[in-house]
Amino acid sequence: DIAKRYVPGNQKIEIVILEEKRPGKIFALEQAVPYIQTEFVIFGDADTVYPPDFITVASELFEKLPEEYGALLAIGKYGDAGSFGNSIYAWGKVIWSKLLPKKCHSGGYGQVFRTEDFIKCGGYHSKYWKFVLMDHEIIHRFHKVSKTYYHPALWVSTSDRRTNRKNVRWNTWEQILYLLTPFRWEDWFFYSFFTKKLEQRN
């Protein structure tokens, strides 16, 4: 009912509610994949605030970009989203994405995919990855079939619902190793090295 109130005029909006009994975000995402029928798909998180023009900005960026770019990744801002510090941070992320174009510099809170490329890379599926940080793993597979793009105008903000995530994050040394690992060795990083680390942490 809330979603329908935001649809202008007599436009139709289809809502499909799915239930997943297996605990873990990856299983929820996996179940949703067969229901995607649109040209583009956005994955959003419940602990994230989206600007009211998020979809508009994403649509306009895709219209300007060559089709070789199959995904837009939103920049996550913290605190006052409009602050000068967050503006510098956003441009820093854009620069890092140019310096390390085969790495993921964003979270799953704002991934916008061309559905065709998303399906081509395998989408979200537990047969590839059943752990946390699935947002980085899927971008690793995505870079095998398409390119990602970052822009400071496409951003999201952490809500005050977000709790301490220390137990589901990678440590500093693992992040550094990820950034230093050449793309051709990233299969080893995710499916050998990092898989063992996360299994040990349960």
Side-chain angles (χ1 to χ4, degrees), residues 52-101:
D53 63 348
F54 184 84
I55 294 176
T56 301
V57 171
S59 299
E60 291 174 351
L61 286 172
F62 266 128
E63 286 177 5
K64 297 174 184 176
L65 286 172
E67 287 197 3
E68 64 191 84
Y69 290 95
L72 299 171
L73 300 186
I75 295 164
K77 295 184 176 183
Y78 302 90
D80 179 8
S83 70
F84 178 73
N86 263 319
S87 296
I88 297 297
Y89 175 78
W91 277 108
K93 284 285 189 178
V94 172
I95 293 170
W96 271 112
S97 74
K98 303 297 184 187
L99 295 174
L100 298 169

Side-chain angles (χ1 to χ4, degrees), residues 3-4 7 11-17 35-38:
K4 287 176 179 176
V7 180
Q11 292 184 36
K12 180 182 176 183
I13 180 171
E14 181 181 3
I15 298 171
V16 179
I17 299 175
Y35 291 86
I36 302 170
Q37 299 177 357
T38 51

